[in-house]
Amino acid sequence: MAWKPEMIAEVLHECGRLALDIQQSAKRRIKADNTIVTEADTRIEALIRQRLEEKDANNSPDSQGELFFIGEETSSEHGETYHRQALQGRCYVTDPVDGTVLYSNGLPGWGISLGYMEKGRLAEGAILYPFSGELLLSSGDTVLYGRSGKNRFPEFHQLRELKAPDPRASSPVLTVSQTIVKHGRYDGPLSVLSTGSCVSSMRNLALGGSVGYLTRTRLWDLAAGFPILHKLGLKAFTQDGHEFPLEISDEFWNIPPVERRHHWRMKQHVLFCSHEQVFRDVMAHSRIP
């Protein structure tokens, strides 16, 4: 396996320092889908790929075939053959800056997300939150967590095992995506929060800061957070009640070739939550577009 937790932490630290160093000066533009992209997004994605390819080459005895990359900023450059091959082999999936609007406006809540899948199944994940100095990192069946404070990153040896959140002690909060805020509705008893980034919403759920996260997003947004939540024993259900699997398939995902605006997008909204009763309660009070 190409996933070596200490090496992953090292790569994310370098990316986090770059993100902070250029945050005030990073140029930004509006993409065709009307979302913001900054110089940091493109430079960090390129740096992640460069470092992981270097380290994979240096560990060639452990390598098992080509190493693939699916990233938010470069996914559209690859054709159907590349994407299908990525689902058959070893593949890193990254969102170099999840929460670009937050990042580009100097606000907290953004993060650097790196997931890993083998043979089409999400297996490992790591998320660095440079603003708050937090790191979530999976290692086998374990999730590691550390916090060093604003603009400082925990070293690998400082990380400690994160235990599954106690549903009875979790905050009565439901985090939702921008789609729900703009076009949907929730009128149940839970407080509602839209954080502006998938990584922030998944962090809240992992640490007991919420009981659920309702979203319909893209592969790179949750490729790190989903394996982390799964290892903590949390569940995921599609809006029609099916369990949402770690396996990436046409049943649940818009896999290229499809219209570009749908590339790697979930086919349904999904609720990540502590148990099935939360799903039933949330769905009973939700109108999903």
Side-chain angles (χ1 to χ4, degrees), residues 37 69 93 153 166 179 188 191 247:
V37 62
F69 289 84
V93 186
F153 312 143
D166 182 351
T179 302
S191 297
E247 289 76 18

Side-chain angles (χ1 to χ4, degrees), residues 74-268:
T74 57
S75 173
S76 61
E77 298 174 4
H78 301 294
E80 177 186 4
T81 300
Y82 183 91
H83 287 127
R84 293 292 174 178
Q85 288 176 340
L87 291 176
Q88 298 300 316
R90 304 175 303 139
C91 181
Y92 284 104
V93 186
T94 184
D95 188 343
V97 179
D98 185 40
T100 302
V101 171
L102 302 172
Y103 173 81
S104 64
N105 286 283
L107 299 172
W110 57 276
I112 300 171
S113 173
L114 180 62
Y116 176 74
M117 63 180 178
E118 280 194 344
K119 297 181 179 179
R121 185 179 190 273
L122 295 171
E124 304 283 357
I127 306 171
L128 179 69
Y129 305 84
F131 189 92
S132 57
E134 294 173 271
L135 177 62
L136 278 167
L137 173 66
S138 73
S139 177
D141 294 330
T142 302
V143 175
L144 304 175
Y145 173 75
R147 179 170 186 166
S148 294
K150 185 176 180 179
N151 298 348
R152 297 171 57 240
F153 312 143
E155 299 296 332
F156 183 77
H157 67 84
Q158 296 175 312
L159 302 178
R160 297 293 180 265
E161 182 177 354
L162 182 66
K163 301 298 184 182
D166 182 351
R168 296 167 299 179
S170 295
S171 298
V173 173
L174 173 68
T175 55
V176 299
S177 66
Q178 289 290 305
T179 302
I180 298 296
V181 171
K182 293 177 180 179
H183 308 292
R185 181 179 179 182
Y186 171 77
D187 59 8
L190 298 172
S191 297
V192 177
L193 175 67
S194 184
T195 66
S197 75
C198 188
V199 294
S200 180
S201 299
M202 290 191 153
R203 170 202 170 278
N204 290 346
L205 190 54
L207 298 181
S210 69
V211 297
Y213 173 39
L214 181 60
T215 187
R216 184 184 178 193
T217 190
R218 299 182 190 273
L219 178 62
W220 42 77
D221 294 314
L222 58 73
F226 189 11
I228 288 172
L229 295 180
H230 180 78
K231 293 171 193 289
L232 290 173
L234 295 163
K235 308 295 184 182
F237 300 96
T238 62
Q239 65 190 70
D240 63 4
H242 292 92
E243 287 197 26
F244 185 63
L246 291 164
E247 289 76 18
I248 308 302
S249 70
D250 292 288
E251 180 179 359
F252 296 99
W253 293 91
N254 288 299
I255 300 173
V258 292
E259 189 177 350
R260 179 172 293 186
R261 65 191 180 95
H262 295 306
H263 273 193
W264 293 113
R265 193 173 186 229
M266 295 169 166
K267 290 187 173 180
Q268 294 189 52

